[in-house]
Amino acid sequence: MQSDTHIVGAATLQSGLLLTTNVQDPDLIAGSLIVAASGALLPDFDHAGSRISNRYPLVGWIGRLFKHRGFSHTLFFWILLSAGLYAGYLFGVRKAWWPENSLIYPGIAVFVASGLSHILLDYLTPSGVPWFGPFSW
């Protein structure tokens, strides 16, 4: 699936979430859509031709260590990433840069939900995804 499709899928998801809230700040809406698009592109860091790999060469270099639609397309990866982002916020970044009432926690949730929307969209293709990799039964 193409990166534009993943961005549209994540933006649609985020727009639906924004409609259920009372958010009216245009900067907050734009920021949440940028975070959603970033989360939607991250799973393809393991593909040499992906938008995120081409834009950020270090990400592309790390991505070459993995098989496309492999580990980054699993629930296990997203659980680990969520835990890591939240722990980084809780124990490090929050104390240094962010005020107590910051929007970083909802931002992490948007980022992860968008990444999961990417996996769901890829699941709908003939190639599918290894939802429970690296575990199998």
Side-chain angles (χ1 to χ4, degrees), residues 4-74:
D4 292 343
T5 307
H6 290 300
I7 291 171
V8 168
T12 302
L13 172 69
Q14 181 58 14
S15 297
L17 293 173
L18 286 170
L19 287 174
T20 64
T21 64
N22 205 14
V23 175
Q24 297 177 358
D25 180 4
D27 293 335
L28 185 58
I29 293 169
S32 70
L33 291 172
I34 290 169
V35 169
S38 300
L41 293 177
L42 182 66
D44 278 342
F45 80 97
D46 58 5
H47 186 276
S50 70
R51 187 176 285 182
I52 195 165
S53 293
N54 291 330
R55 174 85 170 139
Y56 302 102
L58 178 62
V59 172
W61 181 81
I62 294 169
R64 284 187 228 134
L65 301 173
F66 299 94
K67 181 184 105 174
H68 181 54
R69 287 198 184 180
F71 186 58
S72 66
H73 284 67
T74 65

